[in-house]
DNA sequence: GTTAGGG
DNA sequence: CCCTAAC
């Protein structure tokens, strides 16, 4: 949690700043942008101990906040850095806030208004709650106020009042009050390294838990809200969500508000709390235990912050009434986890547990968001995401993140087009997942043009078939950027190719089809070799790279030099720069060249050209091949047979 | 690891 | 291009 605590003790002079760690809060995550400022209020005893602020002190601060505009720091922009208000307590016991940085005027008025209202409500509820809960141990509650009108997120969590600002450049105000009654070390841990085990106290969190009363629950909030009239609920709702509501359903209002108020992941650890609009101070207990709890709560809070970020983003994106539902859902989900967690095991409330419970839904949520954005609902997306957790095990999983940035719909369309309007829907996921790793996309884009130019230079290039291939070679995203029209009509050779595939048109084959023709021009980027898992568990090279004239020449030269059969050597000598050409590839190609050279007659040129729509291998090369073959007695056994027509699997004999 | 050959 | 047997 982005918490900054500025503590000064007049008696002892400056208090060690160990308890203050701005960097951790400021750098911990991108979220911080959303929580630029957080304040904590702690009283420091003469001996340096951190003591929880008393109610009176709290009130002092509250009053201060209410009437002291200058005392508030306002962050006008998301880009603002953390500001810190240090609370100084003189020997006389007087608390005072200190501005550590300049104050931005923006939104000051708004903030104050909010604050005032909040304070009102807090006090009101506090009074009520005092009556009701006076006998109970301190409870926590979170007030989370989301002001949509200003796009500010204003919330009170764990006693911290803070506003979260979306990524937009909307001015935001974030302030947080954190009343802590933990010892210094505890405080330190809480503030600077919540996730570490630097807690000195030996007492366990569980001990604290057992001592503490049950966590606040939604019911608490409702109890308080129960007292409110509909009108008040409406007001509260307005303050909470930043908009009016016409809902008359008291229950609904209460639920919504309480949900929001308890949305944060407060843990019963913190010492002070803003509970359901009421600031509650915990009784001083085992301070060390408290420290533990604080640390724990901080962690969960941190986690929560992330969650909420997502949540808020969503809610802010979805405006109006409709948003309520979605928000309810998401919040409910979070809450459920939270509540569940708290109820489930106070003693089991480990940091990890808290994080896990919260994080899981978050991921999912993000995924869902992405899916919504893409407008294309593909159930397999989730699956692909799951695999992401495995890192790079699957090069394909890698692609996911980037993909989100692009229009899925277009991708989808393209894919359909590629099928020649067959209407067969190729699972986007499959395709995407089979795409090259994200990092390669750039290289593809970069190299593609080069490949094209090279092709052009070669002169013998087949534009029809090739052009298409080249286009399809690029991942969907790129394809979109290029001319999608290219894919509308599969090259004539395409169907033939497909037929040649021994494998039936299984999904896998189709998935592979496009990728295969993908990189004829990308051979420069050697890293692009991507293998895909086959049904058998083996790996299969994903891309088809048509042989270029240059490669053929190199091959012939290599054979001339080293002799046919010495593929490894040829590969080493002539294809060292073509990592995607394996010795097996050379062998296969040579085999096809042989067949072609013997099957091929000048008269066939025209026919073959028309037949395949491709540029035939120049006769002079074939002649050379034939010569070499004859020299080495490599005349194909049955060059005349019909078998020759097909050449080695998938190859168009005598063509590049 | 290479080669050869079938698919 | 893939897969494999045979080196």
């Amino acid at each position: 949690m982005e918490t900054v605590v500025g503590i000064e003790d007049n008696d002892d002079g400056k208090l060690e700043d160990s308890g203050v760690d701005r960097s951790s809060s400021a750098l911990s995550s991108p979220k911080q942008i959303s929580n630029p400022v957080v304040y904590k209020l702690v009283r420091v005893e003469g001996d340096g101990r951190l003591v929880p602020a008393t109610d009176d002190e709290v009130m002092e601060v509250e009053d201060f906040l209410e009437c002291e505009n200058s005392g508030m720091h306002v962050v006008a922009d998301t880009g603002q850095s953390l500001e810190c208000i240090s609370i100084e307590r003189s020997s006389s016991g007087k608390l005072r806030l200190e501005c550590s940085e300049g104050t931005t005027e923006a939104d000051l008025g708004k903030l104050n208004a909010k604050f005032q209202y909040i304070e009102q409500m807090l006090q009101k509820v506090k009074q009520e709650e005092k009556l009701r809960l006076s006998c109970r141990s301190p409870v926590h509650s979170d007030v989370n106020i989301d002001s949509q009108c200003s796009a500010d997120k204003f919330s009170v969590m764990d006693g911290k009042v803070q506003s979260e600002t979306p990524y937009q450049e909307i001015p935001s105000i974030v302030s947080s009050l954190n009343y802590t009654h933990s010892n210094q070390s505890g405080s330190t841990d809480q503030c600077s390294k919540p996730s570490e085990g630097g807690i000195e106290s030996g007492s366990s969190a569980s001990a604290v838990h057992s001592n503490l009363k049950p966590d606040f629950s939604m019911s608490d909030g409702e109890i308080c809200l129960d007292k409110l009239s509909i009108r008040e609920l409406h007001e509260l709702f307005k303050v909470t969500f930043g908009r009016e509501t016409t809902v008359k359903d008291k229950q609904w209002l209460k639920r919504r508000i309480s949900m929001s108020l308890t949305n944060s992941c407060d843990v019963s650890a913190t010492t002070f709390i803003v509970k359901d609009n009421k600031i509650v101070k915990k009784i001083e207990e085992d301070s060390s235990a408290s420290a533990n709890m604080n640390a724990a709560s901080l962690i969960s809070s941190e986690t929560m912050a992330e969650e909420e970020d997502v949540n808020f983003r969503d809610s802010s994106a979805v405006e109006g009434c409709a948003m309520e539902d979605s928000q309810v859902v998401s919040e409910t989900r979070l809450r459920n986890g939270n509540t569940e967690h708290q109820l489930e095991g106070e003693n089991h409330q480990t940091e990890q547990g808290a994080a896990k419970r919260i994080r899981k839904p978050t991921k999912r949520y993000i995924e869902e968001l992405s899916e919504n954005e893409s407008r294309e609902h593909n159930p397999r997306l989730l699956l692909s995401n799951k695999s992401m957790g495995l890192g790079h095990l699957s090069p394909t999983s890698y692609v996911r993140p980037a993909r989100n940035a692009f229009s899925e719909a277009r991708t989808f369309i393209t894919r359909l087009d590629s099928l020649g309007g067959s209407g067969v829907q190729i699972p986007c996921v499959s395709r995407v997942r089979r795409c090259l790793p994200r990092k390669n996309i750039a290289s593809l884009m970069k190299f593609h043009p080069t490949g094209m130019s090279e092709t052009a230079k070669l002169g013998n290039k087949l534009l029809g078939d090739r052009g298409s291939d080249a286009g399809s070679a690029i991942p969907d995203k790129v394809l979109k950027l290029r001319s999608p029209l290219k894919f509308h009509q599969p090259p004539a050779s395409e169907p033939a190719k497909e037929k040649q595939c021994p494998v039936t048109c299984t999904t896998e084959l189709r998935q592979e089809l496009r990728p295969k023709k993908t990189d004829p021009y990308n051979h420069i980027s050697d890293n692009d070799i991507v293998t895909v898992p086959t049904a058998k568990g083996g790996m299969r090279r994903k891309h088809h790279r048509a042989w270029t004239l240059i490669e053929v020449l190199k091959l012939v030269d290599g054979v001339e030099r080293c002799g046919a059969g010495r593929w490894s050597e040829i590969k080493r000598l002539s294809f060292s720069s073509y990592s995607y050409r394996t010795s097996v590839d050379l062998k296969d190609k040579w085999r096809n060249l042989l067949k072609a050279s013997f099957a091929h007659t000048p008269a066939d040129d025209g026919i073959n050209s028309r037949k395949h729509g491709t540029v035939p291998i120049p006769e002079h090369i074939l002649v050379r091949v034939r010569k070499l073959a004859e020299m080495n007695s490599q005349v194909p056994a049955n060059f005349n047979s019909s078998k020759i027509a097909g050449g080695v699997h998938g190859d168009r004999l005598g063509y590049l």
Side-chain angles (χ1 to χ4, degrees):
Chain A
M1 183 57 78
E2 297 69 24
T3 302
V4 176
V5 181
I7 302 167
E8 218 174 82
D9 189 310
N10 284 351
D11 292 328
D12 299 328
K14 298 276 184 176
L15 179 73
E16 310 85 345
D17 217 74
S18 58
V20 180
D21 186 336
R22 297 188 203 180
S23 62
S24 75
S25 62
L27 303 175
S28 60
S29 78
K31 266 66 177 187
Q32 355 209 215
I33 296 174
S34 303
N35 301 310
V37 186
V38 178
Y39 305 116
K40 257 186 170 178
L41 181 57
V42 180
R43 186 160 61 80
V44 182
E45 293 289 351
D47 59 358
R49 262 190 357 125
L50 295 184
V51 212
T54 65
D55 272 351
D56 288 342
E57 290 167 341
V58 170
M59 291 309 292
E60 274 188 65
V61 175
E62 287 174 359
D63 291 338
F64 176 83
L65 292 174
E66 261 184 55
C67 50
E68 183 48 68
N69 287 352
S70 62
M72 288 302 297
H73 290 264
V74 179
V75 179
D77 192 297
T78 54
Q80 304 268 324
S81 59
L82 282 175
E83 294 183 22
C84 177
I85 293 179
S86 63
I87 298 167
E88 201 174 88
R89 196 182 197 290
S90 65
S91 54
S92 66
K94 171 99 175 127
L95 279 174
R96 85 165 184 264
L97 291 177
E98 196 173 78
C99 301
S100 61
E101 295 180 19
T103 299
T104 305
E105 294 298 323
D107 277 327
L108 214 54
K110 193 192 296 177
L111 176 65
N112 280 322
K114 284 181 179 179
F115 253 109
Q116 287 182 26
Y117 191 84
I118 292 172
E119 293 304 327
Q120 281 177 20
M121 299 305 285
L122 290 176
Q123 295 197 31
K124 187 172 185 175
V125 178
K126 186 190 291 181
Q127 290 173 11
E128 294 173 350
E129 202 161 89
K130 273 181 181 173
L131 296 176
R132 290 170 161 278
L133 307 175
S134 57
C135 57
R136 299 181 60 181
S137 58
V139 278
H140 317 80
S141 79
D142 305 299
V143 179
N144 192 341
I145 297 165
D146 172 359
S147 172
Q148 279 198 329
C149 42
S150 65
D152 285 350
K153 307 295 182 183
F154 201 86
S155 63
V156 177
M157 291 168 44
D158 294 327
K160 304 180 196 76
V161 180
Q162 67 179 62
S163 76
E164 295 182 22
T165 304
Y167 291 143
Q168 301 93 354
E169 302 172 4
I170 302 164
S172 71
I173 303 170
V174 175
S175 68
S176 169
L177 297 177
N178 194 342
Y179 305 94
T180 305
H181 73 269
S182 61
N183 65 23
Q184 195 170 333
S185 68
S187 176
T188 297
D189 285 329
Q190 179 179 347
C191 300
S192 58
K193 26 183 169 183
S195 61
E196 291 182 19
I199 301 166
E200 303 171 2
S201 69
S203 42
S204 65
S206 60
V208 174
H209 267 296
S210 58
N211 289 335
L212 296 177
K213 73 206 351 19
D215 304 272
F216 80 84
S217 64
M218 198 129 107
S219 61
D220 285 317
E222 293 192 357
I223 289 173
C224 299
L225 296 172
D226 261 345
K227 290 278 184 180
L228 303 177
S229 68
I230 291 228
R231 196 182 64 77
E232 291 170 321
L233 285 174
H234 278 182
E235 282 186 87
L236 190 51
F237 184 95
K238 186 178 179 181
V239 174
T240 302
F241 297 105
R243 67 170 186 281
E244 304 271 8
T245 182
T246 57
V247 179
K248 296 288 191 285
D249 186 343
K250 217 170 171 180
Q251 288 292 8
W252 184 88
L253 287 170
K254 286 190 293 182
R255 206 172 61 228
R256 288 289 293 137
I257 294 170
S258 66
M259 251 180 209
S260 174
L261 298 186
T262 59
N263 189 15
S264 70
C265 161
D266 180 21
V267 182
S268 49
T270 30
T271 51
F272 64 87
I273 310 270
V274 175
K275 175 189 176 66
D276 292 323
N277 296 333
K278 172 182 176 180
I279 297 179
V280 179
K281 179 176 80 84
K282 276 185 188 172
I283 303 166
E284 195 131 4
E285 298 178 334
D286 178 353
S287 60
S288 59
S290 206
N292 272 336
M293 289 312 297
N294 284 336
S297 75
L298 199 64
I299 290 171
S300 47
S301 293
E302 213 168 344
T303 303
M304 216 42 200
E306 294 182 18
E307 292 252 313
E308 287 178 351
D309 232 22
V310 175
N311 197 12
F312 287 153
R313 242 172 283 151
D314 177 53
S315 57
S316 61
V318 186
E319 278 297 330
C321 304
M323 161 214 138
E324 291 180 12
D325 284 338
S326 67
Q327 196 173 47
V328 170
V329 172
S330 57
E331 286 179 359
T332 300
R333 191 185 305 163
L334 292 176
R335 245 195 81 66
N336 284 343
N338 199 23
T339 303
E340 194 182 331
H341 173 220
Q342 294 185 352
L343 295 177
E344 188 175 308
E346 298 171 1
N347 293 339
H348 300 104
Q349 193 169 42
T350 65
E351 303 168 3
Q352 290 184 339
K356 275 188 177 181
R357 281 188 178 279
I358 293 166
R359 280 185 179 286
K360 276 189 177 178
T362 302
K363 278 185 178 180
R364 202 183 166 74
Y365 190 77
I366 293 172
E367 292 170 4
E368 287 172 11
L369 273 182
S370 301
E371 286 185 58
N372 289 334
E373 289 171 4
S374 68
R375 289 170 302 173
E376 178 188 35
H377 185 73
N378 192 321
R380 293 178 70 175
L381 287 176
L382 291 177
L383 293 177
S384 70
N385 265 327
K386 285 177 182 176
S387 66
M388 287 184 70
L390 300 176
H392 309 286
L393 282 184
S394 169
T396 56
S397 62
Y398 215 11
V399 175
R400 249 299 267 192
R403 232 168 101 269
N404 292 336
F406 296 78
S407 161
E408 196 104 43
R410 289 178 71 177
T411 299
F412 183 59
I413 291 171
T414 298
R415 207 161 299 167
L416 282 176
D417 288 347
S418 72
L419 288 179
S422 65
V424 177
Q425 179 174 324
I426 297 177
C428 296
V429 177
S430 301
R431 279 218 50 207
V432 172
R433 293 179 64 193
R434 287 168 176 277
C435 282
L436 296 173
R438 185 207 231 150
K439 64 174 182 179
N440 285 331
I441 291 174
S443 67
L444 280 176
M445 294 182 74
K446 188 164 109 194
F447 285 115
H448 182 66
T450 305
M452 288 296 270
S453 63
E454 177 186 327
T455 301
K457 278 192 287 182
L458 291 178
N460 285 331
K461 270 27 240 193
L462 11 164
L463 296 180
D465 184 343
R466 282 301 176 74
S468 210
D469 285 357
S472 51
I474 299 162
D476 291 341
K477 305 167 191 176
V478 180
L479 289 180
K480 295 181 309 180
L481 299 177
R482 298 184 145 275
S483 64
L485 292 178
K486 273 183 178 179
F487 312 107
H488 276 283
Q489 282 200 339
S493 62
E494 212 43 35
K497 252 188 183 176
E498 206 163 354
K499 284 177 184 175
Q500 291 175 14
C501 292
V503 189
T504 59
C505 279
T506 62
T507 301
E508 179 180 329
L509 179 59
R510 289 188 201 161
Q511 290 168 355
E512 250 179 70
L513 189 57
R514 285 182 63 77
K516 267 187 176 181
K517 353 179 235 177
T518 303
D519 2 327
Y521 303 109
N522 298 323
H523 58 272
I524 293 178
S525 51
D526 296 342
N527 309 329
D528 292 345
I529 299 176
V530 175
T531 57
V532 298
T534 61
K536 293 178 181 178
M539 292 302 273
R540 185 187 178 105
R541 282 168 70 181
K542 177 183 165 188
H543 297 295
H544 167 75
R545 307 181 105 110
W547 278 74
T548 65
L549 187 60
I550 288 178
E551 289 175 308
V552 172
L553 283 172
K554 282 176 176 286
L555 176 58
V556 175
D557 287 342
V559 171
E560 226 164 15
R561 223 183 328 167
C562 309
R566 313 193 61 163
W567 309 119
S568 289
E569 198 168 340
I570 295 171
K571 151 81 176 166
R572 203 163 43 242
L573 296 175
S574 302
F575 291 83
S576 55
S577 60
Y578 297 75
S579 63
Y580 54 89
R581 294 294 182 207
T582 67
S583 59
V584 173
D585 291 329
L586 303 185
K587 179 261 298 177
D588 285 345
K589 184 59 181 175
W590 181 252
R591 180 169 45 170
N592 286 331
L593 285 175
L594 278 183
K595 290 176 182 175
S597 67
F598 284 97
H600 192 256
T601 63
D604 294 335
D605 277 8
I607 297 171
N608 286 331
S609 295
R610 288 196 300 272
K611 185 175 173 183
H612 297 293
T614 58
V615 178
I617 294 175
E619 181 60 23
H620 70 275
I621 292 181
L622 292 179
V623 171
R624 285 180 66 191
V625 171
R626 201 179 311 158
K627 224 179 205 175
L628 290 170
E630 289 169 346
M631 279 174 55
N632 300 302
S633 304
Q634 289 187 327
V635 179
N638 48 354
F639 65 89
N640 285 345
S641 72
S642 59
K643 203 178 177 183
I644 294 176
V648 174
H649 172 70
D651 252 14
R652 283 155 295 165
L653 210 54
Y655 292 84
L656 293 175

